[in-house]
Amino acid sequence: MKQIILGTAGHIDHGKTSLIKAITGTNTDRLKEEQKRGITIELGFASLDLPSGRHLGIVDVPGHEKFVKNMVAGATGIDIVLMVIAADEGVMPQTREHMEICALLGVRHGMVVLTKIDMVDEEWLELVTEDIRDFTVGTFLEGAPIVTVSSATGDGIPQFLEELDTLCKGVPERSTTGLFRLPVDRVFSMKGFGTVITGTLISGKVNTGDTIMIYPGKTTSKVRGIQVHNQSREAAEAGMRTAINFQGLEKTAINRGDILARENTLMPSYMVDLELHFLSSNKKPMKSRTQVRFHTGTSETMGNLILLDREELVPGETCPAQIRLDEPVSLIRDDRFVIRSYSPVRTIGGGKLLNPIPVKHKRFQQEIIDGLIGLVDAAPEGIIDHHARMAGPAGVNFNELLLMTNLPAKALEAAVGTMLNSQAILLADKENRRYIHLAVFDGLRQLSQDVLERYHRDNPLKPGISKEELKSKFPRQASSKLFTLVLNRMIKDQQLVLADDTVRLSSHTVSLQVDQKASKRQIVDIYRQSGLTPPYFREVVKDLDVDPKSAKGVLELLVGEGVLVKVKEDLYYDRTTVEKLKDELVAYILEKGEISTPVFKDMTGASRKYVIPLIEHFDATNVTIRVGDIRKLRKRQ
């Protein structure tokens, strides 16, 4: 049978708590101060079996204006609201504010309960009833039943229960396939049980023995026991008033406003993107950066409201906004919220979340504004497309998309699969299930193309750019896996060629000018004829009287072709000469077991300025290894 949570709402002293006691026998004012003062301060809880056998969880909220934040916490997760109005007073200020709060929180089912009918006559009762019908016009309670009761005499209670039973039939069943989430509305210690929390389980399910994480602090603990309506259970699911006690968890580790969920399924954030509705009952516009109280779930957090597309919001209007909070929250898309002014405190607006883990937005950015407006009614593929595009080279992973779409895992997998098949997004990191938008991917391909074209233009005699240098031109958010994906796709499409660690455009070929061809022949001749005592390259450039930059390009080409060997900065050798010397060196060490620097000097017939760079070159190329003052072969030749 589906699980339903019933909540009360209405002005102080209009009989909410008395009504709950009349139908359940439970006095939800459990605090001594509440009983002494005769007003509800904290949330109260009860349960009710209807004539059909359907079982309801009940949340009774305070009506006093000073305790509206407790009312908002209690209204989170309710399926049906009883808007309680006293017959002797009619619609009052908190009646109106509670109606606004319920609407902002997305409550869609309810009825009006006209209490204290024993205190008025029939004529007055008719006038009040008509006034209530006018009050509900344009609200979610327009056309809803208006039932009359007296909690003191019991008049109307049976009819009320029958009407409530009928109303419950039209409430849709909650899904248990989503993320397990339970906003905490009460924490206490119980002897023999330890720390106990209570709350309305708003999605998913939980079992005894599960490891649970408490957000946003990310403390973990194991579920020791579960109760639903004071009865022990092995599991609880969406729509149930649930009490959970934990193993070894201190009471101070958890507070009202925290959210229970599975490990690493939620992500704390100091910012959220919103669709904000500013109530028409407000007297004046609200400016951007106004400090407000942000209520969501059972939490209240201070923050600054940033209007992204305007300087001020006129009463009755709706716009995209971002709130930047003093403390982190852990939410998902479509979570409802209420905004209350800082001082004096009153409800001024609310709406639903569009992105629970956004980056910081600049104002008046049309792409951001249009994207957020488009998110309001977007299909799953549209939501994924937006977030993948906005994520840029960093991409977006599957766990982030679960929060950004508010889809069950299987439904998200299906939507992602559709987009992968159409190549609207690409899988950039299989291990971490991270996706890149095709437009972002194509942008990186174009970046690679531009970098290589510029490199070839500036370095016509070089075969290409190193992979590392090309990667350094990518945005820092781009991972190595994404870089490799771009490279491999461009190679597959025959745009690029990768040889060793050098990347070039397929169209690029080394082409020497006439004067460079002459310089190439002259440079090769100089190094072949100079043997083991070549001139430094700066001397070669001076003797040939050629452009240094052009000559340097020819030199690097010769090194790349393997004609010359670079031994140290500005000192190059003919490769054949170096190979011949290496063979003599290896043969000597194989016969003698080692060689000293003086002996090597005699072998070369060169001065020390050549001998030291040469022997160090053989060390660096793993031919020899230095041991004290002598060299040995690093490995058998």
Side-chain angles (χ1 to χ4, degrees), residues 273-275 320 333-334 352-356 358 361 368-388 390 404-405:
D273 290 341
L274 317 165
E275 180 194 34
R333 175 188 162 88
D334 294 331
K352 69 176 182 178
L353 262 68
L354 299 177
N355 185 1
H361 299 315
I368 299 296
I369 295 166
D370 291 344
L372 290 177
I373 292 172
L375 280 180
V376 174
D377 297 313
E381 289 80 5
I383 299 172
I384 296 168
D385 184 273
H386 170 81
H387 290 303
M390 290 298 102
M404 291 169 161
T405 62

PDB file of all heavy atoms in Angstrom, residues 273-275 320 333-334 352-356 358 361 368-388 390 404-405:
ATOM      1  N   ASP A 273      21.758  26.606  -8.577  1.00  0.00           N
ATOM      2  CA  ASP A 273      21.005  27.362  -9.573  1.00  0.00           C
ATOM      3  C   ASP A 273      19.511  27.111  -9.373  1.00  0.00           C
ATOM      4  O   ASP A 273      19.104  25.972  -9.107  1.00  0.00           O
ATOM      5  CB  ASP A 273      21.407  26.943 -10.988  1.00  0.00           C
ATOM      6  CG  ASP A 273      22.810  27.397 -11.349  1.00  0.00           C
ATOM      7  OD1 ASP A 273      23.325  28.312 -10.681  1.00  0.00           O
ATOM      8  OD2 ASP A 273      23.388  26.831 -12.296  1.00  0.00           O
ATOM      9  N   LEU A 274      18.711  28.171  -9.539  1.00  0.00           N
ATOM     10  CA  LEU A 274      17.298  28.109  -9.176  1.00  0.00           C
ATOM     11  C   LEU A 274      16.390  28.662 -10.259  1.00  0.00           C
ATOM     12  O   LEU A 274      16.791  29.531 -11.040  1.00  0.00           O
ATOM     13  CB  LEU A 274      17.049  28.965  -7.915  1.00  0.00           C
ATOM     14  CG  LEU A 274      18.023  28.895  -6.758  1.00  0.00           C
ATOM     15  CD1 LEU A 274      17.784  30.080  -5.830  1.00  0.00           C
ATOM     16  CD2 LEU A 274      17.846  27.589  -6.019  1.00  0.00           C
ATOM     17  N   GLU A 275      15.156  28.172 -10.267  1.00  0.00           N
ATOM     18  CA  GLU A 275      14.060  28.893 -10.899  1.00  0.00           C
ATOM     19  C   GLU A 275      13.321  29.568  -9.750  1.00  0.00           C
ATOM     20  O   GLU A 275      12.669  28.906  -8.947  1.00  0.00           O
ATOM     21  CB  GLU A 275      13.127  27.949 -11.651  1.00  0.00           C
ATOM     22  CG  GLU A 275      11.980  28.699 -12.319  1.00  0.00           C
ATOM     23  CD  GLU A 275      10.855  27.789 -12.774  1.00  0.00           C
ATOM     24  OE1 GLU A 275      10.580  26.781 -12.094  1.00  0.00           O
ATOM     25  OE2 GLU A 275      10.248  28.097 -13.799  1.00  0.00           O
ATOM     26  N   PRO A 320      15.656  33.041 -13.623  1.00  0.00           N
ATOM     27  CA  PRO A 320      16.768  32.176 -13.214  1.00  0.00           C
ATOM     28  C   PRO A 320      17.670  32.933 -12.246  1.00  0.00           C
ATOM     29  O   PRO A 320      17.885  34.146 -12.396  1.00  0.00           O
ATOM     30  CB  PRO A 320      17.484  31.880 -14.535  1.00  0.00           C
ATOM     31  CG  PRO A 320      17.181  33.066 -15.399  1.00  0.00           C
ATOM     32  CD  PRO A 320      15.805  33.521 -15.012  1.00  0.00           C
ATOM     33  N   ARG A 333      18.394  18.070  -8.405  1.00  0.00           N
ATOM     34  CA  ARG A 333      17.482  18.813  -9.272  1.00  0.00           C
ATOM     35  C   ARG A 333      16.029  18.601  -8.842  1.00  0.00           C
ATOM     36  O   ARG A 333      15.655  17.523  -8.386  1.00  0.00           O
ATOM     37  CB  ARG A 333      17.655  18.357 -10.719  1.00  0.00           C
ATOM     38  CG  ARG A 333      16.651  19.010 -11.683  1.00  0.00           C
ATOM     39  CD  ARG A 333      16.715  18.410 -13.068  1.00  0.00           C
ATOM     40  NE  ARG A 333      15.500  18.734 -13.814  1.00  0.00           N
ATOM     41  CZ  ARG A 333      15.327  19.828 -14.546  1.00  0.00           C
ATOM     42  NH1 ARG A 333      16.302  20.708 -14.639  1.00  0.00           N
ATOM     43  NH2 ARG A 333      14.196  20.038 -15.191  1.00  0.00           N
ATOM     44  N   ASP A 334      15.233  19.631  -8.997  1.00  0.00           N
ATOM     45  CA  ASP A 334      13.802  19.635  -8.704  1.00  0.00           C
ATOM     46  C   ASP A 334      13.472  19.706  -7.220  1.00  0.00           C
ATOM     47  O   ASP A 334      12.293  19.751  -6.864  1.00  0.00           O
ATOM     48  CB  ASP A 334      13.081  18.428  -9.322  1.00  0.00           C
ATOM     49  CG  ASP A 334      13.085  18.473 -10.838  1.00  0.00           C
ATOM     50  OD1 ASP A 334      13.112  19.588 -11.391  1.00  0.00           O
ATOM     51  OD2 ASP A 334      13.074  17.401 -11.470  1.00  0.00           O
ATOM     52  N   LYS A 352      12.030  25.832  -7.515  1.00  0.00           N
ATOM     53  CA  LYS A 352      12.708  24.537  -7.578  1.00  0.00           C
ATOM     54  C   LYS A 352      14.130  24.690  -8.091  1.00  0.00           C
ATOM     55  O   LYS A 352      14.467  25.656  -8.788  1.00  0.00           O
ATOM     56  CB  LYS A 352      11.933  23.562  -8.452  1.00  0.00           C
ATOM     57  CG  LYS A 352      11.912  23.890  -9.928  1.00  0.00           C
ATOM     58  CD  LYS A 352      11.182  22.793 -10.703  1.00  0.00           C
ATOM     59  CE  LYS A 352      11.191  23.071 -12.204  1.00  0.00           C
ATOM     60  NZ  LYS A 352      10.536  21.982 -12.959  1.00  0.00           N
ATOM     61  N   LEU A 353      14.967  23.712  -7.737  1.00  0.00           N
ATOM     62  CA  LEU A 353      16.369  23.721  -8.130  1.00  0.00           C
ATOM     63  C   LEU A 353      16.519  23.282  -9.581  1.00  0.00           C
ATOM     64  O   LEU A 353      15.850  22.352 -10.034  1.00  0.00           O
ATOM     65  CB  LEU A 353      17.184  22.766  -7.253  1.00  0.00           C
ATOM     66  CG  LEU A 353      17.935  23.405  -6.092  1.00  0.00           C
ATOM     67  CD1 LEU A 353      16.967  23.913  -5.054  1.00  0.00           C
ATOM     68  CD2 LEU A 353      18.889  22.404  -5.476  1.00  0.00           C
ATOM     69  N   LEU A 354      17.429  23.953 -10.279  1.00  0.00           N
ATOM     70  CA  LEU A 354      17.758  23.572 -11.649  1.00  0.00           C
ATOM     71  C   LEU A 354      19.098  22.843 -11.719  1.00  0.00           C
ATOM     72  O   LEU A 354      19.289  21.958 -12.535  1.00  0.00           O
ATOM     73  CB  LEU A 354      17.797  24.805 -12.545  1.00  0.00           C
ATOM     74  CG  LEU A 354      16.474  25.589 -12.651  1.00  0.00           C
ATOM     75  CD1 LEU A 354      16.666  26.835 -13.506  1.00  0.00           C
ATOM     76  CD2 LEU A 354      15.374  24.706 -13.226  1.00  0.00           C
ATOM     77  N   ASN A 355      20.039  23.247 -10.871  1.00  0.00           N
ATOM     78  CA  ASN A 355      21.353  22.584 -10.826  1.00  0.00           C
ATOM     79  C   ASN A 355      21.883  22.651  -9.401  1.00  0.00           C
ATOM     80  O   ASN A 355      22.116  23.740  -8.884  1.00  0.00           O
ATOM     81  CB  ASN A 355      22.336  23.255 -11.787  1.00  0.00           C
ATOM     82  CG  ASN A 355      23.678  22.527 -11.855  1.00  0.00           C
ATOM     83  OD1 ASN A 355      23.875  21.500 -11.205  1.00  0.00           O
ATOM     84  ND2 ASN A 355      24.596  23.046 -12.639  1.00  0.00           N
ATOM     85  N   PRO A 356      22.083  21.491  -8.745  1.00  0.00           N
ATOM     86  CA  PRO A 356      22.535  21.498  -7.351  1.00  0.00           C
ATOM     87  C   PRO A 356      24.040  21.657  -7.180  1.00  0.00           C
ATOM     88  O   PRO A 356      24.509  21.877  -6.075  1.00  0.00           O
ATOM     89  CB  PRO A 356      22.097  20.113  -6.854  1.00  0.00           C
ATOM     90  CG  PRO A 356      22.173  19.248  -8.078  1.00  0.00           C
ATOM     91  CD  PRO A 356      21.782  20.141  -9.228  1.00  0.00           C
ATOM     92  N   PRO A 358      26.450  23.752  -9.383  1.00  0.00           N
ATOM     93  CA  PRO A 358      26.918  24.588 -10.494  1.00  0.00           C
ATOM     94  C   PRO A 358      28.271  25.223 -10.201  1.00  0.00           C
ATOM     95  O   PRO A 358      28.775  25.184  -9.073  1.00  0.00           O
ATOM     96  CB  PRO A 358      25.838  25.669 -10.565  1.00  0.00           C
ATOM     97  CG  PRO A 358      25.449  25.877  -9.125  1.00  0.00           C
ATOM     98  CD  PRO A 358      25.524  24.490  -8.502  1.00  0.00           C
ATOM     99  N   HIS A 361      28.475  31.649 -11.651  1.00  0.00           N
ATOM    100  CA  HIS A 361      28.102  32.293 -12.915  1.00  0.00           C
ATOM    101  C   HIS A 361      28.360  33.793 -12.879  1.00  0.00           C
ATOM    102  O   HIS A 361      28.152  34.448 -11.854  1.00  0.00           O
ATOM    103  CB  HIS A 361      26.612  32.083 -13.211  1.00  0.00           C
ATOM    104  CG  HIS A 361      26.208  30.661 -13.356  1.00  0.00           C
ATOM    105  ND1 HIS A 361      26.942  29.755 -14.099  1.00  0.00           N
ATOM    106  CD2 HIS A 361      25.145  29.975 -12.858  1.00  0.00           C
ATOM    107  CE1 HIS A 361      26.335  28.583 -14.049  1.00  0.00           C
ATOM    108  NE2 HIS A 361      25.253  28.689 -13.300  1.00  0.00           N
ATOM    109  N   ILE A 368      24.248  31.315 -20.426  1.00  0.00           N
ATOM    110  CA  ILE A 368      23.883  30.769 -19.109  1.00  0.00           C
ATOM    111  C   ILE A 368      22.393  30.972 -18.848  1.00  0.00           C
ATOM    112  O   ILE A 368      21.684  30.053 -18.422  1.00  0.00           O
ATOM    113  CB  ILE A 368      24.709  31.440 -17.993  1.00  0.00           C
ATOM    114  CG1 ILE A 368      26.205  31.193 -18.198  1.00  0.00           C
ATOM    115  CG2 ILE A 368      24.254  30.943 -16.620  1.00  0.00           C
ATOM    116  CD1 ILE A 368      26.616  29.754 -18.102  1.00  0.00           C
ATOM    117  N   ILE A 369      21.899  32.174 -19.106  1.00  0.00           N
ATOM    118  CA  ILE A 369      20.485  32.505 -18.861  1.00  0.00           C
ATOM    119  C   ILE A 369      19.577  31.603 -19.695  1.00  0.00           C
ATOM    120  O   ILE A 369      18.632  30.991 -19.180  1.00  0.00           O
ATOM    121  CB  ILE A 369      20.226  33.986 -19.168  1.00  0.00           C
ATOM    122  CG1 ILE A 369      21.008  34.874 -18.195  1.00  0.00           C
ATOM    123  CG2 ILE A 369      18.736  34.300 -19.107  1.00  0.00           C
ATOM    124  CD1 ILE A 369      21.096  36.333 -18.620  1.00  0.00           C
ATOM    125  N   ASP A 370      19.866  31.505 -20.997  1.00  0.00           N
ATOM    126  CA  ASP A 370      19.037  30.682 -21.888  1.00  0.00           C
ATOM    127  C   ASP A 370      19.098  29.211 -21.476  1.00  0.00           C
ATOM    128  O   ASP A 370      18.086  28.497 -21.525  1.00  0.00           O
ATOM    129  CB  ASP A 370      19.503  30.824 -23.334  1.00  0.00           C
ATOM    130  CG  ASP A 370      19.218  32.218 -23.904  1.00  0.00           C
ATOM    131  OD1 ASP A 370      18.417  32.944 -23.301  1.00  0.00           O
ATOM    132  OD2 ASP A 370      19.817  32.560 -24.937  1.00  0.00           O
ATOM    133  N   GLY A 371      20.290  28.775 -21.064  1.00  0.00           N
ATOM    134  CA  GLY A 371      20.452  27.376 -20.656  1.00  0.00           C
ATOM    135  C   GLY A 371      19.627  27.042 -19.435  1.00  0.00           C
ATOM    136  O   GLY A 371      18.950  26.004 -19.388  1.00  0.00           O
ATOM    137  N   LEU A 372      19.631  27.919 -18.436  1.00  0.00           N
ATOM    138  CA  LEU A 372      18.867  27.675 -17.210  1.00  0.00           C
ATOM    139  C   LEU A 372      17.363  27.739 -17.473  1.00  0.00           C
ATOM    140  O   LEU A 372      16.602  26.921 -16.948  1.00  0.00           O
ATOM    141  CB  LEU A 372      19.261  28.682 -16.130  1.00  0.00           C
ATOM    142  CG  LEU A 372      20.668  28.518 -15.548  1.00  0.00           C
ATOM    143  CD1 LEU A 372      20.969  29.614 -14.541  1.00  0.00           C
ATOM    144  CD2 LEU A 372      20.833  27.155 -14.904  1.00  0.00           C
ATOM    145  N   ILE A 373      16.940  28.677 -18.292  1.00  0.00           N
ATOM    146  CA  ILE A 373      15.518  28.756 -18.636  1.00  0.00           C
ATOM    147  C   ILE A 373      15.091  27.478 -19.368  1.00  0.00           C
ATOM    148  O   ILE A 373      14.018  26.921 -19.121  1.00  0.00           O
ATOM    149  CB  ILE A 373      15.221  30.007 -19.491  1.00  0.00           C
ATOM    150  CG1 ILE A 373      15.418  31.280 -18.646  1.00  0.00           C
ATOM    151  CG2 ILE A 373      13.809  29.968 -20.055  1.00  0.00           C
ATOM    152  CD1 ILE A 373      15.338  32.571 -19.427  1.00  0.00           C
ATOM    153  N   GLY A 374      15.961  27.003 -20.255  1.00  0.00           N
ATOM    154  CA  GLY A 374      15.668  25.784 -20.990  1.00  0.00           C
ATOM    155  C   GLY A 374      15.614  24.548 -20.108  1.00  0.00           C
ATOM    156  O   GLY A 374      14.925  23.567 -20.439  1.00  0.00           O
ATOM    157  N   LEU A 375      16.325  24.584 -18.981  1.00  0.00           N
ATOM    158  CA  LEU A 375      16.343  23.430 -18.071  1.00  0.00           C
ATOM    159  C   LEU A 375      15.009  23.206 -17.370  1.00  0.00           C
ATOM    160  O   LEU A 375      14.720  22.088 -16.931  1.00  0.00           O
ATOM    161  CB  LEU A 375      17.425  23.614 -16.998  1.00  0.00           C
ATOM    162  CG  LEU A 375      18.864  23.297 -17.369  1.00  0.00           C
ATOM    163  CD1 LEU A 375      19.773  23.550 -16.175  1.00  0.00           C
ATOM    164  CD2 LEU A 375      19.004  21.856 -17.838  1.00  0.00           C
ATOM    165  N   VAL A 376      14.209  24.252 -17.250  1.00  0.00           N
ATOM    166  CA  VAL A 376      12.990  24.175 -16.447  1.00  0.00           C
ATOM    167  C   VAL A 376      12.098  23.021 -16.886  1.00  0.00           C
ATOM    168  O   VAL A 376      11.659  22.206 -16.064  1.00  0.00           O
ATOM    169  CB  VAL A 376      12.211  25.507 -16.509  1.00  0.00           C
ATOM    170  CG1 VAL A 376      10.877  25.371 -15.782  1.00  0.00           C
ATOM    171  CG2 VAL A 376      13.038  26.641 -15.891  1.00  0.00           C
ATOM    172  N   ASP A 377      11.854  22.907 -18.174  1.00  0.00           N
ATOM    173  CA  ASP A 377      10.959  21.864 -18.682  1.00  0.00           C
ATOM    174  C   ASP A 377      11.672  20.916 -19.639  1.00  0.00           C
ATOM    175  O   ASP A 377      11.028  20.255 -20.461  1.00  0.00           O
ATOM    176  CB  ASP A 377       9.758  22.504 -19.399  1.00  0.00           C
ATOM    177  CG  ASP A 377       8.905  23.339 -18.449  1.00  0.00           C
ATOM    178  OD1 ASP A 377       8.600  22.843 -17.349  1.00  0.00           O
ATOM    179  OD2 ASP A 377       8.563  24.478 -18.807  1.00  0.00           O
ATOM    180  N   ALA A 378      12.986  20.843 -19.551  1.00  0.00           N
ATOM    181  CA  ALA A 378      13.759  20.040 -20.500  1.00  0.00           C
ATOM    182  C   ALA A 378      13.560  18.538 -20.276  1.00  0.00           C
ATOM    183  O   ALA A 378      13.366  18.073 -19.154  1.00  0.00           O
ATOM    184  CB  ALA A 378      15.245  20.379 -20.391  1.00  0.00           C
ATOM    185  N   ALA A 379      13.606  17.786 -21.380  1.00  0.00           N
ATOM    186  CA  ALA A 379      13.607  16.325 -21.313  1.00  0.00           C
ATOM    187  C   ALA A 379      14.972  15.862 -20.812  1.00  0.00           C
ATOM    188  O   ALA A 379      15.938  16.640 -20.836  1.00  0.00           O
ATOM    189  CB  ALA A 379      13.328  15.755 -22.704  1.00  0.00           C
ATOM    190  N   PRO A 380      15.093  14.612 -20.351  1.00  0.00           N
ATOM    191  CA  PRO A 380      16.387  14.128 -19.827  1.00  0.00           C
ATOM    192  C   PRO A 380      17.566  14.378 -20.763  1.00  0.00           C
ATOM    193  O   PRO A 380      18.616  14.848 -20.323  1.00  0.00           O
ATOM    194  CB  PRO A 380      16.137  12.632 -19.623  1.00  0.00           C
ATOM    195  CG  PRO A 380      14.678  12.545 -19.309  1.00  0.00           C
ATOM    196  CD  PRO A 380      14.032  13.598 -20.174  1.00  0.00           C
ATOM    197  N   GLU A 381      17.371  14.102 -22.061  1.00  0.00           N
ATOM    198  CA  GLU A 381      18.477  14.313 -23.004  1.00  0.00           C
ATOM    199  C   GLU A 381      18.856  15.788 -23.085  1.00  0.00           C
ATOM    200  O   GLU A 381      20.043  16.123 -23.234  1.00  0.00           O
ATOM    201  CB  GLU A 381      18.096  13.795 -24.398  1.00  0.00           C
ATOM    202  CG  GLU A 381      18.032  12.287 -24.509  1.00  0.00           C
ATOM    203  CD  GLU A 381      16.735  11.690 -23.972  1.00  0.00           C
ATOM    204  OE1 GLU A 381      15.826  12.477 -23.591  1.00  0.00           O
ATOM    205  OE2 GLU A 381      16.623  10.455 -23.929  1.00  0.00           O
ATOM    206  N   GLY A 382      17.868  16.675 -22.982  1.00  0.00           N
ATOM    207  CA  GLY A 382      18.153  18.108 -23.007  1.00  0.00           C
ATOM    208  C   GLY A 382      18.944  18.553 -21.783  1.00  0.00           C
ATOM    209  O   GLY A 382      19.831  19.402 -21.879  1.00  0.00           O
ATOM    210  N   ILE A 383      18.615  17.977 -20.627  1.00  0.00           N
ATOM    211  CA  ILE A 383      19.345  18.312 -19.393  1.00  0.00           C
ATOM    212  C   ILE A 383      20.794  17.843 -19.505  1.00  0.00           C
ATOM    213  O   ILE A 383      21.733  18.578 -19.176  1.00  0.00           O
ATOM    214  CB  ILE A 383      18.664  17.652 -18.178  1.00  0.00           C
ATOM    215  CG1 ILE A 383      17.233  18.170 -18.018  1.00  0.00           C
ATOM    216  CG2 ILE A 383      19.463  17.928 -16.903  1.00  0.00           C
ATOM    217  CD1 ILE A 383      16.435  17.422 -16.961  1.00  0.00           C
ATOM    218  N   ILE A 384      20.985  16.619 -19.983  1.00  0.00           N
ATOM    219  CA  ILE A 384      22.343  16.069 -20.131  1.00  0.00           C
ATOM    220  C   ILE A 384      23.129  16.909 -21.128  1.00  0.00           C
ATOM    221  O   ILE A 384      24.299  17.236 -20.893  1.00  0.00           O
ATOM    222  CB  ILE A 384      22.274  14.603 -20.584  1.00  0.00           C
ATOM    223  CG1 ILE A 384      21.611  13.738 -19.502  1.00  0.00           C
ATOM    224  CG2 ILE A 384      23.674  14.063 -20.890  1.00  0.00           C
ATOM    225  CD1 ILE A 384      21.235  12.351 -19.970  1.00  0.00           C
ATOM    226  N   ASP A 385      22.481  17.256 -22.246  1.00  0.00           N
ATOM    227  CA  ASP A 385      23.143  18.058 -23.272  1.00  0.00           C
ATOM    228  C   ASP A 385      23.632  19.383 -22.692  1.00  0.00           C
ATOM    229  O   ASP A 385      24.775  19.796 -22.916  1.00  0.00           O
ATOM    230  CB  ASP A 385      22.167  18.313 -24.426  1.00  0.00           C
ATOM    231  CG  ASP A 385      22.811  19.068 -25.574  1.00  0.00           C
ATOM    232  OD1 ASP A 385      22.825  20.330 -25.536  1.00  0.00           O
ATOM    233  OD2 ASP A 385      23.306  18.420 -26.508  1.00  0.00           O
ATOM    234  N   HIS A 386      22.766  20.053 -21.921  1.00  0.00           N
ATOM    235  CA  HIS A 386      23.138  21.352 -21.329  1.00  0.00           C
ATOM    236  C   HIS A 386      24.332  21.216 -20.404  1.00  0.00           C
ATOM    237  O   HIS A 386      25.306  21.978 -20.511  1.00  0.00           O
ATOM    238  CB  HIS A 386      21.947  21.934 -20.558  1.00  0.00           C
ATOM    239  CG  HIS A 386      22.308  23.123 -19.723  1.00  0.00           C
ATOM    240  ND1 HIS A 386      22.437  24.396 -20.237  1.00  0.00           N
ATOM    241  CD2 HIS A 386      22.605  23.229 -18.392  1.00  0.00           C
ATOM    242  CE1 HIS A 386      22.786  25.236 -19.279  1.00  0.00           C
ATOM    243  NE2 HIS A 386      22.878  24.562 -18.150  1.00  0.00           N
ATOM    244  N   HIS A 387      24.275  20.264 -19.489  1.00  0.00           N
ATOM    245  CA  HIS A 387      25.345  20.161 -18.491  1.00  0.00           C
ATOM    246  C   HIS A 387      26.663  19.688 -19.106  1.00  0.00           C
ATOM    247  O   HIS A 387      27.741  20.136 -18.687  1.00  0.00           O
ATOM    248  CB  HIS A 387      24.923  19.224 -17.359  1.00  0.00           C
ATOM    249  CG  HIS A 387      23.847  19.810 -16.489  1.00  0.00           C
ATOM    250  ND1 HIS A 387      23.998  21.016 -15.834  1.00  0.00           N
ATOM    251  CD2 HIS A 387      22.599  19.373 -16.170  1.00  0.00           C
ATOM    252  CE1 HIS A 387      22.897  21.292 -15.154  1.00  0.00           C
ATOM    253  NE2 HIS A 387      22.036  20.316 -15.345  1.00  0.00           N
ATOM    254  N   ALA A 388      26.586  18.810 -20.108  1.00  0.00           N
ATOM    255  CA  ALA A 388      27.811  18.379 -20.780  1.00  0.00           C
ATOM    256  C   ALA A 388      28.448  19.547 -21.534  1.00  0.00           C
ATOM    257  O   ALA A 388      29.673  19.726 -21.520  1.00  0.00           O
ATOM    258  CB  ALA A 388      27.510  17.225 -21.732  1.00  0.00           C
ATOM    259  N   MET A 390      28.051  22.818 -20.828  1.00  0.00           N
ATOM    260  CA  MET A 390      28.545  23.801 -19.867  1.00  0.00           C
ATOM    261  C   MET A 390      29.795  23.323 -19.118  1.00  0.00           C
ATOM    262  O   MET A 390      30.604  24.130 -18.677  1.00  0.00           O
ATOM    263  CB  MET A 390      27.451  24.128 -18.847  1.00  0.00           C
ATOM    264  CG  MET A 390      26.263  24.915 -19.394  1.00  0.00           C
ATOM    265  SD  MET A 390      26.721  26.563 -20.023  1.00  0.00           S
ATOM    266  CE  MET A 390      26.729  26.261 -21.792  1.00  0.00           C
ATOM    267  N   MET A 404      22.046  16.073 -11.273  1.00  0.00           N
ATOM    268  CA  MET A 404      21.626  17.141 -12.180  1.00  0.00           C
ATOM    269  C   MET A 404      20.325  16.825 -12.909  1.00  0.00           C
ATOM    270  O   MET A 404      19.643  17.738 -13.387  1.00  0.00           O
ATOM    271  CB  MET A 404      22.731  17.395 -13.215  1.00  0.00           C
ATOM    272  CG  MET A 404      23.993  18.013 -12.630  1.00  0.00           C
ATOM    273  SD  MET A 404      25.342  17.964 -13.844  1.00  0.00           S
ATOM    274  CE  MET A 404      26.458  19.203 -13.161  1.00  0.00           C
ATOM    275  N   THR A 405      19.994  15.535 -13.025  1.00  0.00           N
ATOM    276  CA  THR A 405      18.777  15.138 -13.747  1.00  0.00           C
ATOM    277  C   THR A 405      17.670  14.650 -12.833  1.00  0.00           C
ATOM    278  O   THR A 405      16.498  14.646 -13.220  1.00  0.00           O
ATOM    279  CB  THR A 405      19.084  14.018 -14.749  1.00  0.00           C
ATOM    280  OG1 THR A 405      19.553  12.858 -14.031  1.00  0.00           O
ATOM    281  CG2 THR A 405      20.131  14.451 -15.762  1.00  0.00           C
TER     282      THR A 405
END
